[in-house]
Amino acid sequence: MIAEIDRIVDGHHHDPHSVLGLHGRDLRVLRPGALEVHAVLPDDTRVALPHRHRGVFAARLPRKVDDYRIAVRYEDGSAHLQADAYRYTPTLGELDLHLIGEGRHEELWRALGAHVIEREGDLGEVSGTRFAVWAPDARGVRVIGDFNYWSGIAHPMRSLGSSGVWELFLPEVGEGDLYKFQVLGADGHWRDKADPMARRTQMPPDTASVVTVSEHVWTDQEWMAQRKGTEPHRAPMSVYEVHLGSWRPGLSYTELAEQLVSYVCEMGFTHVELLPVAGHPFDGSWGYQVTSYYAPTPRFGSPDEFRHLVDSLHRAGIGVFLDWVPAHFPKDEWALARFDGTALYEHPDPRRGEHPDWGTLIFNYGRTEVRNFLVANALYWLEEFHIDGLRVDAVASMIYLDYSRGSGAWEPNMFGGRENLEAIDFLKELNTTVYRRNPAVAMIAEESTAYTGVTTPVDLGGLGFGLKWNMGWMHDSLEYVKKEPIHRKYHHNDITFSMVYAYSENYILPLSHDEVVHGKQSLFNKPPGDEWQRAATLRALLSFMWSHPGKQLLFMGGEIAQGEEWSHEQGVPWWLLRFDHHAGVQRLVKALNGLYRPRPALWSLDTDPAGFDWLDGGDHEGNTLSYLRRGEDDSVLVCAVNFSPVPRPGRRIGLPEEGRWSCVLNSDDPRFGGSGYQAPTSVVAEPQEWHGRPYSAEITLPPLGAVWFEPER
C-alpha cells in the first residue's frame, strides 16, 4: 500500500480511486498538509483518521456506510467539512467512452471539459464539477485551480481504460472557479495545461480555464424556425464582415448587441460574419491563432453575453456566420501543443505538423480523436450558439501537402501526389456531419486554388461545402480597378473572366479583411485618380459586385470608403462620414442592400446559368459592361457599368421586354457623391433588336458609374 500511495502522491497512478475513498469499511483520504482528519458518518459519528503516509489519512470505520463527509483541520486553524471526491463512480458511461475512442462523439463538449453536476448520496445532493480530459499518453493527470491553491497533489485523476480519458468529480467546485490540468507527460515532465474543451477562459494574458454554466434563455425561435426552410445558396446573402474588437473599439458583447445590430439593420445587410471569436492569446492574430476552441474570447464578455449578441442579431432578422480555424493552432506551451508530452493534436512529422509561414502547428487529421475534436467543435458553435454558418479558414493550406513548402520540405501522399488525403477526408466528414444535423446552415470554404468540387456534395465526390469564397473574382476585379482607366482596355478580361467559371462552384464574392492590410491599401485607395475618381470607382465596383452572380461580402470600413488600411488597434474611422465622398459610399451600400433583398433576380439563381446573360461583355475600348440578371420568379434586371471617367451618352442597350424601364440605381447620383451627369430616370423599349434582344433603348452611362434598370410591370 505504501508503494501505491507513493505513486498517487507522485502523480503517476492511473487509478487513485482504487486506493483512496471507501473500500468496504476501509477509508483512505488524501489531504496533504492537514493537521487532523475525521470521517463524519450519516448518524454524525466522527471517526478519527490517523496519518499513514505522505498526506494519506486512513482508518477502518466501525460499520459499513454508503456516504460520509470528511472534516479537516489545518495548522493555520482553518477547518473544512467536505464530500470526498474519491467515493464517486465515473460520470462518463461506456457509450461516451466508446464514441470517444471511435472518434464519433458528435457532442464531445458534453462529455469532456468541466461540467457542474449534482451527485446523489445518503447525506443529500453534492454539487461539484466533473472534470474530464483526453490525454492518452500521459503518465498521470491532476486538476489544479484556485480551489486547491494550484497544487494538484490532492486531486489526481483516474484513467478510464483505453479511451485515453482522465476523469475526476470535485465536490464544491463550481461556476467561476479557475482550473487547469497538470499533465505528467510520457517524457516525464509536468505541464500545466488549459483545458482543450474549456467553455470559458481567463482574460489574456492569463491562461486558466474557467468553470461555467450557461443560463441564457434563447428568444430567437422565429428566426430558427424560418431558417429551417431556407436554402442559403438560393436566398439573399449580403454579408458584413466584422472584427468585433475594432468595429467600435471598447464595446462589449452586450453593447455590440445594441450598436452593431442597429447599424447592420440600418445598412440592410442580411448577415454578419465575425472574424474568429474563439479564445486566442494574441490580439494581432485577429483571432486566427486559436488556443481555446470551445470558448468565446473573454475580451468582450462571457459566453452567455456572446449568446445574447447572436440572439439579438437573430431577433433583428440578421444571420450570423463565424470564421472557424481548423487548419492550424499556435505553439503556446500552456495550450494544445504537445499536450500529454507527445504530438497529440498536431501531426508528429514536422513536414505535415508545422506551418512554415505562420509559425504554428497543423492538426493530425489522420487521428480519429483529433478529427472528433474538430467536428464536434463545429457542431458546438452551430448548436450551442445558434450560429448560421462557418467560414472555414485556409482550406488550401489543409488540402495540399506542399502548401508554402519548397522542394524536399514536404512528403507526398501514398499515391505520390500533393493532396493531403487525411485532411480531405476530414473535410468530407465535417461537412457530412454538419449538414446531417443542421441542414439549413452554410458551410463556407475559404479556398484559394482551383481545387475542383469544393461545393460538390460528398456523395458525388466533392468536399461537401455549401459555398466557397471566389478569390479569383476578388483578385481579378481589384487588379482591374487598380489600373489607370486609359489602360483598362488592355485588361478587360480581368473584369469579365469570372463569368467563365461562375457556376463551377457556389460562390461568395469577398472584399474581405485580407484585401485591406499588409500594404495592399484600402478599397478606397486602390484605384488611381483624385478623391472623387477613387470614390466613384469604388461605387462602380460595389454596384458591379452586388449585381454579379454570387453572394457578396464586404469588410467593415469598406462601406465608408475607409482611407487607411484596416488596423485592429485603431478601428473603423467613423469620423470620415463628415465628408461627402465617404458618406456617399455608405449611402450607396445602404441603397444596394435595399434594392437587393426584394429582387430575386439578384440572388435566386446565383448558382444557375439561367440567372445571367451578357448583353455586351466585350467593350474593351469603352471600359463598359452590360448584362441581364434573372430571377426564378421571372423577374429581370438590366445592369450596366462604366469603368471609364468619360460619360457614355446615347448607348443603345438590348432589352428582353417591351414597355417602360425604370432606373432603380445610378451610382453617379449626387446623393452618393456622384457627378449627377444627366441620365434618364426611365426609358421606353423600342422594337429594335440589339444585343440579341427583341427590344432596345438608348441609355446614358455616367462616368465611373453603374446603372440598373427594371421593367415597370
Side-chain angles (χ1 to χ4, degrees), residues 480-516:
Y480 177 81
V481 299
K482 287 178 185 177
K483 303 287 193 299
E484 289 285 349
I486 197 171
H487 296 142
R488 286 176 184 160
K489 62 182 179 181
Y490 304 112
H491 303 275
H492 193 74
N493 287 344
D494 284 351
I495 203 68
T496 61
F497 182 66
S498 59
M499 288 311 304
V500 173
Y501 60 88
Y503 304 106
S504 61
E505 304 279 3
N506 302 335
Y507 282 119
I508 292 176
L509 312 179
L511 292 177
S512 75
H513 65 280
D514 279 329
E515 305 316 309
V516 292

Side-chain angles (χ1 to χ4, degrees), residues 22-40:
L22 187 59
H23 299 271
R25 288 166 51 196
D26 292 328
L27 178 61
R28 304 181 193 94
V29 177
L30 177 59
R31 289 295 185 275
L35 189 62
E36 60 180 41
V37 179
H38 288 79
V40 181

Side-chain angles (χ1 to χ4, degrees), residues 570-593:
Q570 300 299 321
V572 177
W574 298 106
W575 57 270
L576 288 174
L577 291 173
R578 292 179 291 179
F579 303 99
D580 287 343
H581 294 321
H582 303 278
V585 171
Q586 186 190 48
R587 284 191 288 268
L588 173 78
V589 172
K590 182 177 179 179
L592 290 172
N593 282 329

Side-chain angles (χ1 to χ4, degrees), residues 65-183:
V65 297
D66 291 324
D67 201 1
Y68 57 92
R69 296 289 184 266
I70 304 298
V72 186
R73 187 166 65 85
Y74 292 93
E75 291 184 358
D76 62 3
S78 62
H80 306 274
L81 184 65
Q82 307 163 327
D84 183 11
Y86 295 91
R87 72 163 289 267
Y88 296 100
T89 56
T91 55
L92 291 177
E94 289 299 321
L95 179 59
D96 281 318
L97 298 177
H98 172 75
L99 292 173
I100 291 170
E102 291 287 315
R104 300 291 179 185
H105 202 307
E106 294 176 2
E107 297 182 359
L108 189 65
W109 67 91
R110 301 189 190 279
L112 301 182
H115 294 269
V116 176
I117 60 173
E118 305 284 337
R119 303 300 300 267
E120 299 286 345
D122 291 346
L123 291 172
E125 284 189 346
V126 173
S127 178
T129 297
R130 189 271 317 279
F131 295 93
V133 63
W134 178 62
D137 290 315
R139 293 170 58 187
V141 184
R142 299 164 167 167
V143 181
I144 57 175
D146 51 3
F147 43 81
N148 61 15
Y149 304 100
W150 299 96
S151 172
I153 293 175
H155 293 136
M157 305 177 77
R158 65 177 148 206
S159 174
L160 299 180
S162 61
S163 67
V165 174
W166 298 75
E167 183 262 3
L168 182 64
F169 171 73
L170 286 186
E172 301 177 18
V173 175
E175 169 77 33
D177 282 331
L178 306 179
Y179 72 98
K180 282 188 177 183
F181 295 115
Q182 200 169 54
V183 182

